[in-house]
Every structure is written in C-alpha cells, then in structure tokens.
Amino acid sequence: MLRENRPTIEPALSCSLPVSDSAAIVLLALFILSVVSVPKYDLPGVIAFAGFPLLLATAARTPLLPLLKRLAAASPFILFMAGGNLLFDRSAVATTALFTVTGGMLSAAVIAMKAIVTLSALLSLMVLMPFHRFGTGLRSLGVPEVFVTQLLLVYRYSFLLSHEAGMMQKARDLRSFGKRGRGPVITAGLIGSLLLRTTSRAERVYMAMASRGFRSALAPRAPVRIGSMDLMVVAGSAMLFLAVRLLF
C-alpha cells in the first residue's frame, strides 16, 4: 500500500486569513502582476515588493527552513531563466574600480528576484490555505470546473509520479557500476518508461474513481461570495501595490 510522502510547510501556530479564499487568490494575482510589471532594470522596485511575502510569512509564523528548501529546489530553473541575459545584454550600466556592471547582470538579478518574491508569496499563502480550499476559491471566482478538477487531481496524485520515479532511479542505481548506465541514452529511455508507467497508473486510478461514482467533476461545494469587506481589502491592496510600483 502506497503512502503519500509529500513535504508540507506547516505554520507554528494556527492562523486564518482575514479575507475569504477567493479574495486571497485575487490579491495573490494582483501581487504577481504588480511584480511582473516591474521593468527589467528596476532592482529596487522588486526589492520593495519583497516586503509583502516577508510580512505574510512573519504573520503566519511560517518556518523559514522548509520555505528556503522549496526555493532552493526551484533555483536551477530560476538561474536558467536569468542566465541567458548575461550573454545577450552586455551593455555597460555602471562602472566601478573593480568591474563593470552590465545590463545583463542587472536584468538577470531582476528576473531572479521576481521569481523568488512571487514564489515566496505563493508558498506563504499555501501555508494558510490548503490546496482543496484553493480549488474552492477558484470555483467561487467562476473558473471552469474542468480546470479546477484537473488541478486538484494532479496535485492529489502527484506523489505517484515521484514514487514511480524513485523506484526507477533505485533500480537503475542497483544495476549500474560506476558511471555506466547513467548516460543520456539510458536516462531518455527511463523518462519514456516513466511516461508509460504513469499513463497506465492514471488509467487504473480513473477506473477506480469511475467505479465509485466519479462523473468528471469532484463534489462541488457551495461557492463563497466575495463580501463587501473583501472588496474593500482587494481595492485597498491594489492601491497599495500601485503606490509601491509608482514610488519605486
């Protein structure tokens, strides 16, 4: 019997959101749009927005170590996105006695900070809002049921993919000697085999769900309407994000 082994980030003390889940999702979307809209050379502007996820994590008393581990896991993708700017933009922006700061360095730092700030905000919100509540909030905002169901099912059964990948990696390690059996050709074959295994497992999971009454949609909950207080909080937060965006 498989047991789910998904790492979680739990707050030290219970803490609830001051607004509804739908309003929190809207606030997160506004925050991400505000951070993304910062120009590519405006590093102080991105640093100014970093105070919001830091405040949220402090208010929720989120342990920093699990949060840093998740950011470290995403760091290769962040560095890959930002690394190309070092090669394409070599125009000098500032010159010191030791080295010259190019536009690629500055824009790469801005891209990396944008990714770190937005991911930190998302992870801090997930501490206060479990994923099933995230799906309920999306339903309340009018997101199509097909998209919400797919999102919840992918999250729920994502541990099966990691379990299959771990079993295949262990089998490869047991059959490898030194560096043999670890080449790109073998890895490509393992990825293809992982795709076939997960597809077969997904079919079996769907058949089991269909035999228990699943009809292309999870059990819907009553949508939670956004109240007047939530609208005021969203409007005030949007004005605050706009003020920070214009000031910096």
mmCIF file with all atom_site columns, all heavy atoms in Angstrom, residues 21-22 25 126 129-145 147-149 151-152 218 221 223:
data_model
loop_
_atom_site.group_PDB
_atom_site.id
_atom_site.type_symbol
_atom_site.label_atom_id
_atom_site.label_alt_id
_atom_site.label_comp_id
_atom_site.label_asym_id
_atom_site.label_entity_id
_atom_site.label_seq_id
_atom_site.pdbx_PDB_ins_code
_atom_site.Cartn_x
_atom_site.Cartn_y
_atom_site.Cartn_z
_atom_site.occupancy
_atom_site.B_iso_or_equiv
_atom_site.pdbx_formal_charge
_atom_site.auth_seq_id
_atom_site.auth_comp_id
_atom_site.auth_asym_id
_atom_site.auth_atom_id
_atom_site.pdbx_PDB_model_num
ATOM 1   N N   . ASP A 1 21  ? -11.167 33.012 0.832   1.00 0.00 ? 21  ASP A N   1
ATOM 2   C CA  . ASP A 1 21  ? -10.167 32.379 -0.026  1.00 0.00 ? 21  ASP A CA  1
ATOM 3   C C   . ASP A 1 21  ? -10.183 32.981 -1.432  1.00 0.00 ? 21  ASP A C   1
ATOM 4   O O   . ASP A 1 21  ? -9.124  33.143 -2.052  1.00 0.00 ? 21  ASP A O   1
ATOM 5   C CB  . ASP A 1 21  ? -10.431 30.882 -0.107  1.00 0.00 ? 21  ASP A CB  1
ATOM 6   C CG  . ASP A 1 21  ? -10.241 30.193 1.241   1.00 0.00 ? 21  ASP A CG  1
ATOM 7   O OD1 . ASP A 1 21  ? -9.546  30.773 2.095   1.00 0.00 ? 21  ASP A OD1 1
ATOM 8   O OD2 . ASP A 1 21  ? -10.780 29.091 1.426   1.00 0.00 ? 21  ASP A OD2 1
ATOM 9   N N   . SER A 1 22  ? -11.357 33.308 -1.944  1.00 0.00 ? 22  SER A N   1
ATOM 10  C CA  . SER A 1 22  ? -11.448 33.917 -3.274  1.00 0.00 ? 22  SER A CA  1
ATOM 11  C C   . SER A 1 22  ? -10.745 35.271 -3.308  1.00 0.00 ? 22  SER A C   1
ATOM 12  O O   . SER A 1 22  ? -9.999  35.574 -4.255  1.00 0.00 ? 22  SER A O   1
ATOM 13  C CB  . SER A 1 22  ? -12.910 34.069 -3.680  1.00 0.00 ? 22  SER A CB  1
ATOM 14  O OG  . SER A 1 22  ? -13.581 32.825 -3.652  1.00 0.00 ? 22  SER A OG  1
ATOM 15  N N   . ILE A 1 25  ? -6.991  34.787 -3.335  1.00 0.00 ? 25  ILE A N   1
ATOM 16  C CA  . ILE A 1 25  ? -6.479  34.421 -4.659  1.00 0.00 ? 25  ILE A CA  1
ATOM 17  C C   . ILE A 1 25  ? -6.382  35.649 -5.558  1.00 0.00 ? 25  ILE A C   1
ATOM 18  O O   . ILE A 1 25  ? -5.418  35.823 -6.309  1.00 0.00 ? 25  ILE A O   1
ATOM 19  C CB  . ILE A 1 25  ? -7.372  33.339 -5.281  1.00 0.00 ? 25  ILE A CB  1
ATOM 20  C CG1 . ILE A 1 25  ? -7.284  32.050 -4.461  1.00 0.00 ? 25  ILE A CG1 1
ATOM 21  C CG2 . ILE A 1 25  ? -6.976  33.063 -6.729  1.00 0.00 ? 25  ILE A CG2 1
ATOM 22  C CD1 . ILE A 1 25  ? -8.235  30.966 -4.912  1.00 0.00 ? 25  ILE A CD1 1
ATOM 23  N N   . MET A 1 126 ? 0.030   29.348 0.699   1.00 0.00 ? 126 MET A N   1
ATOM 24  C CA  . MET A 1 126 ? -0.354  27.945 0.797   1.00 0.00 ? 126 MET A CA  1
ATOM 25  C C   . MET A 1 126 ? -0.279  27.423 2.235   1.00 0.00 ? 126 MET A C   1
ATOM 26  O O   . MET A 1 126 ? -0.885  26.410 2.556   1.00 0.00 ? 126 MET A O   1
ATOM 27  C CB  . MET A 1 126 ? 0.545   27.094 -0.096  1.00 0.00 ? 126 MET A CB  1
ATOM 28  C CG  . MET A 1 126 ? 0.276   27.256 -1.593  1.00 0.00 ? 126 MET A CG  1
ATOM 29  S SD  . MET A 1 126 ? -1.377  26.744 -2.100  1.00 0.00 ? 126 MET A SD  1
ATOM 30  C CE  . MET A 1 126 ? -2.207  28.335 -2.241  1.00 0.00 ? 126 MET A CE  1
ATOM 31  N N   . MET A 1 129 ? -3.744  28.434 3.332   1.00 0.00 ? 129 MET A N   1
ATOM 32  C CA  . MET A 1 129 ? -4.844  27.946 2.506   1.00 0.00 ? 129 MET A CA  1
ATOM 33  C C   . MET A 1 129 ? -4.485  26.577 1.939   1.00 0.00 ? 129 MET A C   1
ATOM 34  O O   . MET A 1 129 ? -3.684  26.479 1.011   1.00 0.00 ? 129 MET A O   1
ATOM 35  C CB  . MET A 1 129 ? -5.130  28.926 1.354   1.00 0.00 ? 129 MET A CB  1
ATOM 36  C CG  . MET A 1 129 ? -6.339  28.536 0.508   1.00 0.00 ? 129 MET A CG  1
ATOM 37  S SD  . MET A 1 129 ? -6.442  29.529 -1.007  1.00 0.00 ? 129 MET A SD  1
ATOM 38  C CE  . MET A 1 129 ? -6.470  31.182 -0.338  1.00 0.00 ? 129 MET A CE  1
ATOM 39  N N   . PRO A 1 130 ? -5.049  25.490 2.475   1.00 0.00 ? 130 PRO A N   1
ATOM 40  C CA  . PRO A 1 130 ? -4.815  24.174 1.885   1.00 0.00 ? 130 PRO A CA  1
ATOM 41  C C   . PRO A 1 130 ? -5.276  24.134 0.428   1.00 0.00 ? 130 PRO A C   1
ATOM 42  O O   . PRO A 1 130 ? -6.105  24.945 -0.006  1.00 0.00 ? 130 PRO A O   1
ATOM 43  C CB  . PRO A 1 130 ? -5.645  23.242 2.769   1.00 0.00 ? 130 PRO A CB  1
ATOM 44  C CG  . PRO A 1 130 ? -5.819  23.980 4.053   1.00 0.00 ? 130 PRO A CG  1
ATOM 45  C CD  . PRO A 1 130 ? -5.877  25.433 3.693   1.00 0.00 ? 130 PRO A CD  1
ATOM 46  N N   . PHE A 1 131 ? -4.769  23.162 -0.309  1.00 0.00 ? 131 PHE A N   1
ATOM 47  C CA  . PHE A 1 131 ? -4.997  23.176 -1.751  1.00 0.00 ? 131 PHE A CA  1
ATOM 48  C C   . PHE A 1 131 ? -6.463  22.933 -2.103  1.00 0.00 ? 131 PHE A C   1
ATOM 49  O O   . PHE A 1 131 ? -6.946  23.421 -3.124  1.00 0.00 ? 131 PHE A O   1
ATOM 50  C CB  . PHE A 1 131 ? -4.107  22.119 -2.432  1.00 0.00 ? 131 PHE A CB  1
ATOM 51  C CG  . PHE A 1 131 ? -3.846  22.429 -3.871  1.00 0.00 ? 131 PHE A CG  1
ATOM 52  C CD1 . PHE A 1 131 ? -2.910  23.373 -4.233  1.00 0.00 ? 131 PHE A CD1 1
ATOM 53  C CD2 . PHE A 1 131 ? -4.547  21.777 -4.874  1.00 0.00 ? 131 PHE A CD2 1
ATOM 54  C CE1 . PHE A 1 131 ? -2.668  23.670 -5.550  1.00 0.00 ? 131 PHE A CE1 1
ATOM 55  C CE2 . PHE A 1 131 ? -4.306  22.069 -6.201  1.00 0.00 ? 131 PHE A CE2 1
ATOM 56  C CZ  . PHE A 1 131 ? -3.367  23.019 -6.554  1.00 0.00 ? 131 PHE A CZ  1
ATOM 57  N N   . HIS A 1 132 ? -7.189  22.155 -1.297  1.00 0.00 ? 132 HIS A N   1
ATOM 58  C CA  . HIS A 1 132 ? -8.595  21.950 -1.613  1.00 0.00 ? 132 HIS A CA  1
ATOM 59  C C   . HIS A 1 132 ? -9.392  23.245 -1.445  1.00 0.00 ? 132 HIS A C   1
ATOM 60  O O   . HIS A 1 132 ? -10.350 23.493 -2.186  1.00 0.00 ? 132 HIS A O   1
ATOM 61  C CB  . HIS A 1 132 ? -9.181  20.842 -0.729  1.00 0.00 ? 132 HIS A CB  1
ATOM 62  C CG  . HIS A 1 132 ? -9.284  21.199 0.715   1.00 0.00 ? 132 HIS A CG  1
ATOM 63  N ND1 . HIS A 1 132 ? -8.217  21.065 1.593   1.00 0.00 ? 132 HIS A ND1 1
ATOM 64  C CD2 . HIS A 1 132 ? -10.318 21.704 1.439   1.00 0.00 ? 132 HIS A CD2 1
ATOM 65  C CE1 . HIS A 1 132 ? -8.595  21.461 2.806   1.00 0.00 ? 132 HIS A CE1 1
ATOM 66  N NE2 . HIS A 1 132 ? -9.859  21.850 2.748   1.00 0.00 ? 132 HIS A NE2 1
ATOM 67  N N   . ARG A 1 133 ? -8.987  24.086 -0.507  1.00 0.00 ? 133 ARG A N   1
ATOM 68  C CA  . ARG A 1 133 ? -9.624  25.396 -0.377  1.00 0.00 ? 133 ARG A CA  1
ATOM 69  C C   . ARG A 1 133 ? -9.240  26.309 -1.535  1.00 0.00 ? 133 ARG A C   1
ATOM 70  O O   . ARG A 1 133 ? -10.040 27.164 -1.949  1.00 0.00 ? 133 ARG A O   1
ATOM 71  C CB  . ARG A 1 133 ? -9.235  26.032 0.951   1.00 0.00 ? 133 ARG A CB  1
ATOM 72  C CG  . ARG A 1 133 ? -9.941  25.437 2.156   1.00 0.00 ? 133 ARG A CG  1
ATOM 73  C CD  . ARG A 1 133 ? -9.400  25.996 3.452   1.00 0.00 ? 133 ARG A CD  1
ATOM 74  N NE  . ARG A 1 133 ? -9.326  27.449 3.456   1.00 0.00 ? 133 ARG A NE  1
ATOM 75  C CZ  . ARG A 1 133 ? -8.727  28.152 4.411   1.00 0.00 ? 133 ARG A CZ  1
ATOM 76  N NH1 . ARG A 1 133 ? -8.153  27.538 5.435   1.00 0.00 ? 133 ARG A NH1 1
ATOM 77  N NH2 . ARG A 1 133 ? -8.702  29.462 4.354   1.00 0.00 ? 133 ARG A NH2 1
ATOM 78  N N   . PHE A 1 134 ? -8.049  26.123 -2.061  1.00 0.00 ? 134 PHE A N   1
ATOM 79  C CA  . PHE A 1 134 ? -7.639  26.882 -3.242  1.00 0.00 ? 134 PHE A CA  1
ATOM 80  C C   . PHE A 1 134 ? -8.553  26.555 -4.419  1.00 0.00 ? 134 PHE A C   1
ATOM 81  O O   . PHE A 1 134 ? -8.968  27.446 -5.169  1.00 0.00 ? 134 PHE A O   1
ATOM 82  C CB  . PHE A 1 134 ? -6.180  26.555 -3.575  1.00 0.00 ? 134 PHE A CB  1
ATOM 83  C CG  . PHE A 1 134 ? -5.616  27.380 -4.696  1.00 0.00 ? 134 PHE A CG  1
ATOM 84  C CD1 . PHE A 1 134 ? -5.151  28.667 -4.465  1.00 0.00 ? 134 PHE A CD1 1
ATOM 85  C CD2 . PHE A 1 134 ? -5.537  26.870 -5.978  1.00 0.00 ? 134 PHE A CD2 1
ATOM 86  C CE1 . PHE A 1 134 ? -4.618  29.428 -5.492  1.00 0.00 ? 134 PHE A CE1 1
ATOM 87  C CE2 . PHE A 1 134 ? -5.009  27.621 -7.010  1.00 0.00 ? 134 PHE A CE2 1
ATOM 88  C CZ  . PHE A 1 134 ? -4.555  28.909 -6.770  1.00 0.00 ? 134 PHE A CZ  1
ATOM 89  N N   . GLY A 1 135 ? -8.872  25.260 -4.590  1.00 0.00 ? 135 GLY A N   1
ATOM 90  C CA  . GLY A 1 135 ? -9.801  24.875 -5.644  1.00 0.00 ? 135 GLY A CA  1
ATOM 91  C C   . GLY A 1 135 ? -11.195 25.438 -5.419  1.00 0.00 ? 135 GLY A C   1
ATOM 92  O O   . GLY A 1 135 ? -11.864 25.881 -6.366  1.00 0.00 ? 135 GLY A O   1
ATOM 93  N N   . THR A 1 136 ? -11.674 25.434 -4.174  1.00 0.00 ? 136 THR A N   1
ATOM 94  C CA  . THR A 1 136 ? -12.980 26.013 -3.872  1.00 0.00 ? 136 THR A CA  1
ATOM 95  C C   . THR A 1 136 ? -13.004 27.512 -4.168  1.00 0.00 ? 136 THR A C   1
ATOM 96  O O   . THR A 1 136 ? -13.997 28.041 -4.682  1.00 0.00 ? 136 THR A O   1
ATOM 97  C CB  . THR A 1 136 ? -13.337 25.760 -2.397  1.00 0.00 ? 136 THR A CB  1
ATOM 98  O OG1 . THR A 1 136 ? -13.272 24.359 -2.131  1.00 0.00 ? 136 THR A OG1 1
ATOM 99  C CG2 . THR A 1 136 ? -14.727 26.268 -2.086  1.00 0.00 ? 136 THR A CG2 1
ATOM 100 N N   . GLY A 1 137 ? -11.904 28.189 -3.857  1.00 0.00 ? 137 GLY A N   1
ATOM 101 C CA  . GLY A 1 137 ? -11.821 29.610 -4.177  1.00 0.00 ? 137 GLY A CA  1
ATOM 102 C C   . GLY A 1 137 ? -11.844 29.874 -5.667  1.00 0.00 ? 137 GLY A C   1
ATOM 103 O O   . GLY A 1 137 ? -12.454 30.843 -6.129  1.00 0.00 ? 137 GLY A O   1
ATOM 104 N N   . LEU A 1 138 ? -11.196 29.005 -6.452  1.00 0.00 ? 138 LEU A N   1
ATOM 105 C CA  . LEU A 1 138 ? -11.242 29.158 -7.902  1.00 0.00 ? 138 LEU A CA  1
ATOM 106 C C   . LEU A 1 138 ? -12.655 28.955 -8.428  1.00 0.00 ? 138 LEU A C   1
ATOM 107 O O   . LEU A 1 138 ? -13.095 29.653 -9.351  1.00 0.00 ? 138 LEU A O   1
ATOM 108 C CB  . LEU A 1 138 ? -10.280 28.161 -8.558  1.00 0.00 ? 138 LEU A CB  1
ATOM 109 C CG  . LEU A 1 138 ? -8.789  28.414 -8.354  1.00 0.00 ? 138 LEU A CG  1
ATOM 110 C CD1 . LEU A 1 138 ? -7.975  27.313 -9.021  1.00 0.00 ? 138 LEU A CD1 1
ATOM 111 C CD2 . LEU A 1 138 ? -8.380  29.765 -8.915  1.00 0.00 ? 138 LEU A CD2 1
ATOM 112 N N   . ARG A 1 139 ? -13.375 27.989 -7.862  1.00 0.00 ? 139 ARG A N   1
ATOM 113 C CA  . ARG A 1 139 ? -14.773 27.793 -8.270  1.00 0.00 ? 139 ARG A CA  1
ATOM 114 C C   . ARG A 1 139 ? -15.606 29.041 -7.973  1.00 0.00 ? 139 ARG A C   1
ATOM 115 O O   . ARG A 1 139 ? -16.460 29.434 -8.772  1.00 0.00 ? 139 ARG A O   1
ATOM 116 C CB  . ARG A 1 139 ? -15.376 26.591 -7.539  1.00 0.00 ? 139 ARG A CB  1
ATOM 117 C CG  . ARG A 1 139 ? -14.898 25.240 -8.009  1.00 0.00 ? 139 ARG A CG  1
ATOM 118 C CD  . ARG A 1 139 ? -15.801 24.148 -7.465  1.00 0.00 ? 139 ARG A CD  1
ATOM 119 N NE  . ARG A 1 139 ? -15.282 22.830 -7.768  1.00 0.00 ? 139 ARG A NE  1
ATOM 120 C CZ  . ARG A 1 139 ? -14.572 22.096 -6.927  1.00 0.00 ? 139 ARG A CZ  1
ATOM 121 N NH1 . ARG A 1 139 ? -14.288 22.569 -5.735  1.00 0.00 ? 139 ARG A NH1 1
ATOM 122 N NH2 . ARG A 1 139 ? -14.147 20.898 -7.270  1.00 0.00 ? 139 ARG A NH2 1
ATOM 123 N N   . SER A 1 140 ? -15.371 29.644 -6.831  1.00 0.00 ? 140 SER A N   1
ATOM 124 C CA  . SER A 1 140 ? -16.132 30.841 -6.464  1.00 0.00 ? 140 SER A CA  1
ATOM 125 C C   . SER A 1 140 ? -15.852 31.999 -7.406  1.00 0.00 ? 140 SER A C   1
ATOM 126 O O   . SER A 1 140 ? -16.704 32.872 -7.591  1.00 0.00 ? 140 SER A O   1
ATOM 127 C CB  . SER A 1 140 ? -15.806 31.250 -5.027  1.00 0.00 ? 140 SER A CB  1
ATOM 128 O OG  . SER A 1 140 ? -16.098 30.202 -4.121  1.00 0.00 ? 140 SER A OG  1
ATOM 129 N N   . LEU A 1 141 ? -14.673 32.002 -8.016  1.00 0.00 ? 141 LEU A N   1
ATOM 130 C CA  . LEU A 1 141 ? -14.322 33.062 -8.967  1.00 0.00 ? 141 LEU A CA  1
ATOM 131 C C   . LEU A 1 141 ? -14.808 32.767 -10.378 1.00 0.00 ? 141 LEU A C   1
ATOM 132 O O   . LEU A 1 141 ? -14.565 33.561 -11.290 1.00 0.00 ? 141 LEU A O   1
ATOM 133 C CB  . LEU A 1 141 ? -12.807 33.259 -8.977  1.00 0.00 ? 141 LEU A CB  1
ATOM 134 C CG  . LEU A 1 141 ? -12.195 33.813 -7.691  1.00 0.00 ? 141 LEU A CG  1
ATOM 135 C CD1 . LEU A 1 141 ? -10.677 33.830 -7.771  1.00 0.00 ? 141 LEU A CD1 1
ATOM 136 C CD2 . LEU A 1 141 ? -12.726 35.218 -7.403  1.00 0.00 ? 141 LEU A CD2 1
ATOM 137 N N   . GLY A 1 142 ? -15.475 31.635 -10.573 1.00 0.00 ? 142 GLY A N   1
ATOM 138 C CA  . GLY A 1 142 ? -16.018 31.308 -11.878 1.00 0.00 ? 142 GLY A CA  1
ATOM 139 C C   . GLY A 1 142 ? -15.072 30.574 -12.799 1.00 0.00 ? 142 GLY A C   1
ATOM 140 O O   . GLY A 1 142 ? -15.319 30.513 -14.009 1.00 0.00 ? 142 GLY A O   1
ATOM 141 N N   . VAL A 1 143 ? -14.004 30.018 -12.254 1.00 0.00 ? 143 VAL A N   1
ATOM 142 C CA  . VAL A 1 143 ? -13.081 29.229 -13.080 1.00 0.00 ? 143 VAL A CA  1
ATOM 143 C C   . VAL A 1 143 ? -13.791 27.943 -13.512 1.00 0.00 ? 143 VAL A C   1
ATOM 144 O O   . VAL A 1 143 ? -14.512 27.337 -12.718 1.00 0.00 ? 143 VAL A O   1
ATOM 145 C CB  . VAL A 1 143 ? -11.796 28.911 -12.293 1.00 0.00 ? 143 VAL A CB  1
ATOM 146 C CG1 . VAL A 1 143 ? -10.851 28.039 -13.097 1.00 0.00 ? 143 VAL A CG1 1
ATOM 147 C CG2 . VAL A 1 143 ? -11.112 30.204 -11.885 1.00 0.00 ? 143 VAL A CG2 1
ATOM 148 N N   . PRO A 1 144 ? -13.639 27.509 -14.782 1.00 0.00 ? 144 PRO A N   1
ATOM 149 C CA  . PRO A 1 144 ? -14.332 26.302 -15.244 1.00 0.00 ? 144 PRO A CA  1
ATOM 150 C C   . PRO A 1 144 ? -14.027 25.090 -14.375 1.00 0.00 ? 144 PRO A C   1
ATOM 151 O O   . PRO A 1 144 ? -12.904 24.895 -13.912 1.00 0.00 ? 144 PRO A O   1
ATOM 152 C CB  . PRO A 1 144 ? -13.800 26.120 -16.670 1.00 0.00 ? 144 PRO A CB  1
ATOM 153 C CG  . PRO A 1 144 ? -13.416 27.494 -17.104 1.00 0.00 ? 144 PRO A CG  1
ATOM 154 C CD  . PRO A 1 144 ? -12.921 28.188 -15.867 1.00 0.00 ? 144 PRO A CD  1
ATOM 155 N N   . GLU A 1 145 ? -15.053 24.272 -14.171 1.00 0.00 ? 145 GLU A N   1
ATOM 156 C CA  . GLU A 1 145 ? -14.932 23.109 -13.302 1.00 0.00 ? 145 GLU A CA  1
ATOM 157 C C   . GLU A 1 145 ? -13.908 22.114 -13.825 1.00 0.00 ? 145 GLU A C   1
ATOM 158 O O   . GLU A 1 145 ? -13.221 21.443 -13.049 1.00 0.00 ? 145 GLU A O   1
ATOM 159 C CB  . GLU A 1 145 ? -16.291 22.432 -13.167 1.00 0.00 ? 145 GLU A CB  1
ATOM 160 C CG  . GLU A 1 145 ? -16.304 21.192 -12.287 1.00 0.00 ? 145 GLU A CG  1
ATOM 161 C CD  . GLU A 1 145 ? -15.973 21.494 -10.847 1.00 0.00 ? 145 GLU A CD  1
ATOM 162 O OE1 . GLU A 1 145 ? -16.306 22.587 -10.391 1.00 0.00 ? 145 GLU A OE1 1
ATOM 163 O OE2 . GLU A 1 145 ? -15.372 20.619 -10.176 1.00 0.00 ? 145 GLU A OE2 1
ATOM 164 N N   . PHE A 1 147 ? -11.080 22.703 -15.365 1.00 0.00 ? 147 PHE A N   1
ATOM 165 C CA  . PHE A 1 147 ? -9.736  23.137 -14.989 1.00 0.00 ? 147 PHE A CA  1
ATOM 166 C C   . PHE A 1 147 ? -9.480  22.899 -13.506 1.00 0.00 ? 147 PHE A C   1
ATOM 167 O O   . PHE A 1 147 ? -8.407  22.428 -13.108 1.00 0.00 ? 147 PHE A O   1
ATOM 168 C CB  . PHE A 1 147 ? -9.564  24.617 -15.325 1.00 0.00 ? 147 PHE A CB  1
ATOM 169 C CG  . PHE A 1 147 ? -8.245  25.187 -14.910 1.00 0.00 ? 147 PHE A CG  1
ATOM 170 C CD1 . PHE A 1 147 ? -7.101  24.959 -15.656 1.00 0.00 ? 147 PHE A CD1 1
ATOM 171 C CD2 . PHE A 1 147 ? -8.140  25.959 -13.758 1.00 0.00 ? 147 PHE A CD2 1
ATOM 172 C CE1 . PHE A 1 147 ? -5.876  25.474 -15.262 1.00 0.00 ? 147 PHE A CE1 1
ATOM 173 C CE2 . PHE A 1 147 ? -6.922  26.482 -13.357 1.00 0.00 ? 147 PHE A CE2 1
ATOM 174 C CZ  . PHE A 1 147 ? -5.791  26.239 -14.114 1.00 0.00 ? 147 PHE A CZ  1
ATOM 175 N N   . VAL A 1 148 ? -10.469 23.216 -12.656 1.00 0.00 ? 148 VAL A N   1
ATOM 176 C CA  . VAL A 1 148 ? -10.297 23.044 -11.215 1.00 0.00 ? 148 VAL A CA  1
ATOM 177 C C   . VAL A 1 148 ? -10.131 21.569 -10.868 1.00 0.00 ? 148 VAL A C   1
ATOM 178 O O   . VAL A 1 148 ? -9.277  21.186 -10.052 1.00 0.00 ? 148 VAL A O   1
ATOM 179 C CB  . VAL A 1 148 ? -11.491 23.650 -10.464 1.00 0.00 ? 148 VAL A CB  1
ATOM 180 C CG1 . VAL A 1 148 ? -11.357 23.416 -8.962  1.00 0.00 ? 148 VAL A CG1 1
ATOM 181 C CG2 . VAL A 1 148 ? -11.588 25.145 -10.735 1.00 0.00 ? 148 VAL A CG2 1
ATOM 182 N N   . THR A 1 149 ? -10.944 20.709 -11.491 1.00 0.00 ? 149 THR A N   1
ATOM 183 C CA  . THR A 1 149 ? -10.848 19.271 -11.218 1.00 0.00 ? 149 THR A CA  1
ATOM 184 C C   . THR A 1 149 ? -9.493  18.717 -11.637 1.00 0.00 ? 149 THR A C   1
ATOM 185 O O   . THR A 1 149 ? -8.865  17.948 -10.897 1.00 0.00 ? 149 THR A O   1
ATOM 186 C CB  . THR A 1 149 ? -11.973 18.525 -11.951 1.00 0.00 ? 149 THR A CB  1
ATOM 187 O OG1 . THR A 1 149 ? -13.239 19.035 -11.510 1.00 0.00 ? 149 THR A OG1 1
ATOM 188 C CG2 . THR A 1 149 ? -11.911 17.039 -11.665 1.00 0.00 ? 149 THR A CG2 1
ATOM 189 N N   . LEU A 1 151 ? -6.708  20.350 -11.872 1.00 0.00 ? 151 LEU A N   1
ATOM 190 C CA  . LEU A 1 151 ? -5.681  20.894 -10.985 1.00 0.00 ? 151 LEU A CA  1
ATOM 191 C C   . LEU A 1 151 ? -5.649  20.143 -9.661  1.00 0.00 ? 151 LEU A C   1
ATOM 192 O O   . LEU A 1 151 ? -4.574  19.772 -9.156  1.00 0.00 ? 151 LEU A O   1
ATOM 193 C CB  . LEU A 1 151 ? -5.958  22.377 -10.756 1.00 0.00 ? 151 LEU A CB  1
ATOM 194 C CG  . LEU A 1 151 ? -4.853  23.193 -10.064 1.00 0.00 ? 151 LEU A CG  1
ATOM 195 C CD1 . LEU A 1 151 ? -3.605  23.227 -10.926 1.00 0.00 ? 151 LEU A CD1 1
ATOM 196 C CD2 . LEU A 1 151 ? -5.348  24.604 -9.794  1.00 0.00 ? 151 LEU A CD2 1
ATOM 197 N N   . LEU A 1 152 ? -6.824  19.866 -9.094  1.00 0.00 ? 152 LEU A N   1
ATOM 198 C CA  . LEU A 1 152 ? -6.877  19.161 -7.817  1.00 0.00 ? 152 LEU A CA  1
ATOM 199 C C   . LEU A 1 152 ? -6.407  17.718 -7.946  1.00 0.00 ? 152 LEU A C   1
ATOM 200 O O   . LEU A 1 152 ? -5.717  17.196 -7.058  1.00 0.00 ? 152 LEU A O   1
ATOM 201 C CB  . LEU A 1 152 ? -8.305  19.200 -7.270  1.00 0.00 ? 152 LEU A CB  1
ATOM 202 C CG  . LEU A 1 152 ? -8.824  20.581 -6.837  1.00 0.00 ? 152 LEU A CG  1
ATOM 203 C CD1 . LEU A 1 152 ? -10.283 20.488 -6.420  1.00 0.00 ? 152 LEU A CD1 1
ATOM 204 C CD2 . LEU A 1 152 ? -7.991  21.148 -5.703  1.00 0.00 ? 152 LEU A CD2 1
ATOM 205 N N   . LEU A 1 218 ? -15.410 16.755 -9.316  1.00 0.00 ? 218 LEU A N   1
ATOM 206 C CA  . LEU A 1 218 ? -15.389 16.476 -7.891  1.00 0.00 ? 218 LEU A CA  1
ATOM 207 C C   . LEU A 1 218 ? -16.662 17.009 -7.234  1.00 0.00 ? 218 LEU A C   1
ATOM 208 O O   . LEU A 1 218 ? -17.404 17.780 -7.825  1.00 0.00 ? 218 LEU A O   1
ATOM 209 C CB  . LEU A 1 218 ? -14.154 17.120 -7.256  1.00 0.00 ? 218 LEU A CB  1
ATOM 210 C CG  . LEU A 1 218 ? -12.800 16.610 -7.771  1.00 0.00 ? 218 LEU A CG  1
ATOM 211 C CD1 . LEU A 1 218 ? -11.677 17.379 -7.114  1.00 0.00 ? 218 LEU A CD1 1
ATOM 212 C CD2 . LEU A 1 218 ? -12.643 15.121 -7.508  1.00 0.00 ? 218 LEU A CD2 1
ATOM 213 N N   . ARG A 1 221 ? -18.720 22.252 -3.887  1.00 0.00 ? 221 ARG A N   1
ATOM 214 C CA  . ARG A 1 221 ? -19.148 22.912 -2.655  1.00 0.00 ? 221 ARG A CA  1
ATOM 215 C C   . ARG A 1 221 ? -19.856 24.212 -3.012  1.00 0.00 ? 221 ARG A C   1
ATOM 216 O O   . ARG A 1 221 ? -19.688 24.748 -4.098  1.00 0.00 ? 221 ARG A O   1
ATOM 217 C CB  . ARG A 1 221 ? -17.956 23.187 -1.739  1.00 0.00 ? 221 ARG A CB  1
ATOM 218 C CG  . ARG A 1 221 ? -17.256 21.940 -1.251  1.00 0.00 ? 221 ARG A CG  1
ATOM 219 C CD  . ARG A 1 221 ? -16.159 22.301 -0.259  1.00 0.00 ? 221 ARG A CD  1
ATOM 220 N NE  . ARG A 1 221 ? -15.486 21.112 0.254   1.00 0.00 ? 221 ARG A NE  1
ATOM 221 C CZ  . ARG A 1 221 ? -14.519 21.136 1.148   1.00 0.00 ? 221 ARG A CZ  1
ATOM 222 N NH1 . ARG A 1 221 ? -14.104 22.287 1.641   1.00 0.00 ? 221 ARG A NH1 1
ATOM 223 N NH2 . ARG A 1 221 ? -13.947 20.007 1.553   1.00 0.00 ? 221 ARG A NH2 1
ATOM 224 N N   . PRO A 1 223 ? -20.451 27.832 -3.595  1.00 0.00 ? 223 PRO A N   1
ATOM 225 C CA  . PRO A 1 223 ? -19.499 28.929 -3.789  1.00 0.00 ? 223 PRO A CA  1
ATOM 226 C C   . PRO A 1 223 ? -19.636 29.997 -2.727  1.00 0.00 ? 223 PRO A C   1
ATOM 227 O O   . PRO A 1 223 ? -20.737 30.317 -2.273  1.00 0.00 ? 223 PRO A O   1
ATOM 228 C CB  . PRO A 1 223 ? -19.867 29.469 -5.180  1.00 0.00 ? 223 PRO A CB  1
ATOM 229 C CG  . PRO A 1 223 ? -21.298 29.070 -5.382  1.00 0.00 ? 223 PRO A CG  1
ATOM 230 C CD  . PRO A 1 223 ? -21.451 27.758 -4.662  1.00 0.00 ? 223 PRO A CD  1
#
